[in-house]
Amino acid sequence: MNQAKNFTKGFIRENPVFILMLGLCPALGTTTSAFNGLGMGLATMFVVIMSNIVVSLIKNFVPNKVRIPCYIVIIASFVTIVDLVMAGYMPALHEQLGLFIPLIVVNCFVLGRAEAFASKNTLISSIIDGSGMGLGFTLALTLLGAAREIFGSYALFGFQFIPADGMLVFILAPGAFIALGYLIALANKLNK
Amino acid sequence: MEYIIIVLSAILVNNIVLAQFLGLCPFFGVSNKISTAAGMGGAVMFVMTIAAIVTYMISHFILIPFDLIYLRTITYILVISSLVQMVEIILKKVSPPLYQALGIFLPLMTTNCAILGVAILVIQQEHTLMSGVVFAIAHAIGFTLALVILAGIREQLELVNVPRGMQGNPIILIAAGLLALAFMGFAGIV
């Protein structure tokens, strides 16, 4: 398989959030600002790359019947690492993301990459796939966070460009659904 | 009184799907028809309540006394996935009609983040066992309510002319957004 294509497919063509509609819970729940979206995206990207590496290394030793529980335990271990490291070094961001850090373990996008890609491919392509898809996920979350922050508080990465109160609805729950709806429409347009 | 507040806040004010963004995959995945939405809601209520009880016991009798709280994520997900398997086997034996009705929704439960989310929330908000059970059931009712309403909207959406760019997922997300907006009207009641 062409490795460059393998890397870039997650950006638009098979973007986990915009096209495949996977991992929507963190995508909507954590993106109240571009920074939070970026943080959540990077945390998920770390888990996806590491679990892809381990899964592709052990793919020949794991019996077919118990593979899903094995993958879940591997993913859960890396999620615990992210949880503890973030709580130790970035307590503010950890507080903001809250429940959604342990919930990376049930993010169907992470398990989906392990099952659909890493369990069938070599170590190198699995790392490339994990990085590409992880970057695509990060990109989607940052875009969604940026859109909500721009409309919701007229700011981007904390830098306010119009000194006024924004449209609060974009920070609250309904704005997340509506902003993602329009972004998906846009991604569909770009994909054609 | 305390339980009434828990129930009202879980179903209407802090709806698990529309305000807390948990369980969105089944929310969009199985809301094509009202009947499947109700089936999924029933399966979630069943597993969520049992999972909340079991993880509560494990947390209070094993993890906290032995200071193993950092193993929470791994233990909970293992417990929930084996619980789902066990419930499936028991139901198949004990109540074939219920097993038929829940069908494919049971295995999907492992990756439903609402189940793990509620199990963690019960511990984080320091519920007792009884209020934890009420909390889990109320959240499952809230989940079912949101799912059934969205399924109703989607059945209507099939009959209308949607602009070409918004067809498919975008218009469903916008509908969910408007639904969330409507649920925000309950914000003052508790």
Side-chain angles (χ1 to χ4, degrees):
Chain A
M1 196 192 221
N2 185 340
Q3 297 290 19
K5 224 175 173 182
N6 188 11
F7 183 66
T8 57
K9 68 172 185 286
F11 295 175
I12 296 280
R13 206 157 37 81
E14 284 183 34
N15 189 287
V17 178
F18 293 150
I19 307 297
L20 306 177
M21 299 267 285
L22 294 175
L24 285 183
C25 304
L28 292 174
T30 62
T31 52
T32 47
S33 70
F35 183 71
N36 287 356
L38 186 66
M40 186 68 206
L42 290 179
T44 314
M45 185 170 144
F46 170 78
V47 175
V48 119
I49 296 175
M50 296 312 284
S51 65
N52 260 10
I53 291 175
V54 177
V55 167
S56 82
L57 285 177
I58 63 161
K59 63 176 182 284
N60 295 330
F61 311 109
V62 178
N64 212 19
K65 274 189 179 164
V66 293
R67 65 182 196 286
I68 300 284
C70 289
Y71 299 165
I72 289 183
V73 175
I74 293 166
I75 295 170
S77 325
F78 287 115
V79 170
T80 308
I81 294 173
V82 169
D83 197 8
L84 294 176
V85 168
M86 222 179 221
Y89 291 96
M90 289 171 274
L93 185 62
H94 188 262
E95 185 84 357
Q96 285 275 321
L97 302 178
L99 185 60
F100 287 98
I101 296 288
L103 287 183
I104 297 177
V105 82
V106 279
N107 188 331
C108 26
F109 149 68
V110 178
L111 187 62
R113 289 334 287 170
E115 164 70 6
F117 198 92
S119 64
K120 299 186 185 77
N121 286 284
T122 59
L123 176 64
I124 301 296
S125 5
S126 297
I127 296 176
I128 292 173
D129 173 80
S131 339
M133 288 306 247
L135 267 181
F137 189 75
T138 312
L139 188 76
L141 259 64
T142 314
L143 266 179
L144 184 57
R148 287 178 70 185
E149 199 180 351
I150 288 173
F151 289 113
S153 47
Y154 298 140
L156 189 60
F157 286 105
F159 171 73
Q160 192 155 30
F161 46 82
I162 302 177
D165 289 334
M167 294 173 263
L168 186 62
V169 72
F170 277 96
I171 302 288
L172 299 172
F177 287 105
I178 294 171
L180 182 62
Y182 281 111
L183 281 177
I184 289 180
L186 194 69
N188 283 343
K189 181 84 184 160
L190 287 178
N191 232 12
K192 289 234 172 80
Chain B
M1 193 57 211
E2 180 202 355
Y3 292 155
I4 298 176
I5 291 176
I6 292 179
V7 169
L8 279 182
S9 112
I11 297 177
L12 298 175
V13 182
N14 274 322
N15 187 286
I16 185 166
V17 184
L18 297 169
Q20 299 185 42
F21 303 115
L22 296 176
L24 286 173
C25 295
F27 182 62
F28 291 115
V30 296
S31 57
N32 312 329
K33 284 207 303 225
I34 291 181
S35 54
T36 43
M40 184 70 185
V44 164
M45 192 180 302
F46 197 66
V47 176
M48 195 181 270
T49 314
I50 301 177
I53 296 173
V54 175
T55 50
Y56 181 91
M57 301 273 186
I58 289 180
S59 206
H60 281 261
F61 294 119
I62 301 175
L63 293 187
I64 293 175
F66 292 97
D67 205 14
L68 291 171
I69 204 71
Y70 61 91
L71 284 177
R72 193 181 60 190
T73 312
I74 301 183
T75 354
Y76 279 20
I77 192 66
L78 271 180
V79 167
I80 289 173
S81 53
S82 39
L83 194 70
V84 169
Q85 287 272 313
M86 207 174 72
V87 168
E88 208 180 335
I89 295 169
I90 294 175
L91 270 189
K92 203 173 179 179
K93 192 85 185 161
V94 178
S95 167
L98 187 60
Y99 176 75
Q100 288 284 332
L102 297 182
I104 54 152
F105 300 127
L106 270 180
L108 287 179
M109 215 57 71
T110 314
T111 51
N112 184 342
C113 51
I115 310 275
L116 182 63
V118 166
I120 295 178
L121 280 178
V122 167
I123 304 301
Q124 271 183 358
Q125 301 186 355
E126 292 172 356
H127 283 280
T128 60
L129 182 57
M130 194 55 215
S131 72
V133 170
V134 175
F135 183 82
I137 295 178
H139 270 85
I141 295 175
F143 178 81
T144 316
L145 183 72
L147 200 65
V148 169
I149 295 178
L150 186 72
I153 295 176
R154 282 181 68 173
E155 284 187 356
Q156 296 295 317
L157 268 180
E158 285 180 6
L159 306 173
V160 295
N161 249 335
V162 179
R164 198 149 52 95
M166 300 302 287
Q167 275 169 11
N169 293 331
I171 194 71
I172 297 169
L173 277 158
I174 305 254
L178 296 177
L179 192 58
L181 206 53
F183 268 72
M184 274 180 65
F186 292 115
I189 63 170
V190 285

